Amino acid sequence: MNLWMNGVVCAVILTAGASQAEKWSIVLSSQHEEDAANLAVLEDLQSAGKPYGIEFEFDSEGPNRIVVESPSDEGDLDPQGFEIGSSESDDGNRTLALRGGSPQGEIYGLYWIWDRLRVYGEIPEINTRREPALQVRLTGGENAAAIRNALRYTATWVTGGNALSLFPWEGIEPEDSTNKKNREETAKLVDLADDFHIKYLIGCDEFTYHEEYLKQMDATLTPEDPNLWKALQEKY
């Protein structure tokens, strides 16, 4: 009997919770709705809100709204900065007005709302103006997941790959074929970073040589040989 009653109580609670979903509309200008970074932040907001019964959509009809305003022409806000203000109507519906210094700043503002949701388990009242202390913020971008995290945490540059694994060793196998595949995979990551308004940096801190390459460049492996430095410049 007790088990049956407990089951009924649980069912009532679950049903009640499911009927009280909090809906938020994200209102963007039409050209921004297809921006890959905005689509990514919408997915992250949906995922973060789901455990708390909060739903997000790109729409203008929901009771609660995040209105992304067009950047001001006055240039009073850093391009990577944003400001958010909260208001509430007489019927209890809420609005967050977000203005970024550029589309990039708008994305960072939406991710600030995402961050506050994860901290509080709800959309709190937000009244803030935030501008970065550093324009260049670098993190790893070795794969798609890392680049997605870079977007979430507002990195402006990512580094991934290695110049040594990308260099076209023309006529030298298997290095040339291997590096061609590496370039194709890296190009996908560069495109993804670009879609997220992030710059992609290829790194390297050494000169690796190949005997055949030195022959092609008529170079010897000695610092006094000017052709060695020509070979190095050509490679990078």
Side-chain angles (χ1 to χ4, degrees):
M1 182 66 175
N2 287 338
L3 289 174
W4 182 81
M5 287 298 294
N6 286 341
V8 170
V9 171
C10 287
V12 170
I13 292 174
L14 289 172
T15 301
S19 65
Q20 296 176 358
E22 182 177 315
K23 297 183 182 295
W24 283 82
S25 298
I26 303 175
V27 185
L28 300 170
S29 58
S30 58
Q31 66 267 31
H32 288 178
E33 287 189 9
E34 298 303 319
D35 186 296
N38 277 322
L39 295 175
V41 72
L42 173 62
E43 289 179 0
D44 283 339
L45 283 166
Q46 290 171 333
S47 178
K50 189 173 182 180
Y52 308 109
I54 303 175
E55 300 176 358
F56 297 89
E57 291 293 344
F58 285 151
D59 191 286
S60 60
E61 302 299 328
N64 304 298
R65 306 171 74 201
I66 299 171
V67 179
V68 181
E69 302 173 353
S70 298
S72 171
D73 294 330
E74 299 174 4
D76 62 324
L77 192 59
D78 186 284
Q80 297 181 26
F82 60 87
E83 56 185 11
I84 304 173
S86 296
S87 62
E88 185 171 336
S89 64
D90 293 339
D91 57 7
N93 293 333
R94 299 172 58 204
T95 298
L96 295 183
L98 188 162
R99 182 173 72 94
S102 71
Q104 190 177 26
E106 294 170 3
I107 292 162
Y108 294 162
L110 288 171
Y111 266 115
W112 181 251
I113 296 171
W114 171 77
D115 181 87
R116 298 298 85 190
L117 168 59
R118 295 167 71 227
V119 169
Y120 292 102
E122 63 179 2
I123 301 292
E125 182 175 317
I126 303 176
N127 294 286
T128 189
R129 178 186 174 106
R130 301 180 67 85
E131 296 179 290
L134 299 172
Q135 292 293 311
V136 177
R137 300 179 296 280
L138 177 69
T139 189
E142 62 276 6
N143 53 45
I147 295 174
R148 181 69 175 263
N149 275 332
L151 174 67
R152 291 177 177 126
Y153 300 112
T154 72
T156 58
W157 286 74
V158 294
T159 180
N162 186 305
L164 299 177
S165 67
L166 302 175
F167 180 70
W169 297 96
E170 295 180 4
I172 302 174
E173 294 293 352
E175 288 86 353
D176 193 35
S177 296
T178 299
N179 282 14
K180 180 180 179 181
K181 293 179 181 178
N182 292 339
R183 289 196 300 276
E184 292 170 352
E185 292 303 313
T186 301
K188 297 175 184 176
L189 298 179
V190 173
D191 288 342
L192 178 62
D194 186 62
D195 288 343
F196 287 165
H197 311 280
I198 297 171
K199 293 180 173 61
Y200 192 97
L201 177 68
I202 299 294
C204 188
D205 59 3
E206 62 183 280
F207 174 53
T208 297
Y209 72 96
H210 194 288
E211 290 286 357
E212 186 62 31
Y213 180 63
L214 292 180
K215 291 178 183 178
Q216 291 175 4
M217 299 299 297
D218 192 25
T220 57
L221 198 63
T222 174
E224 288 80 16
D225 184 354
N227 284 346
L228 174 65
W229 301 107
K230 290 180 181 178
L232 179 64
Q233 182 175 352
E234 177 69 21
K235 186 174 180 188
Y236 288 104

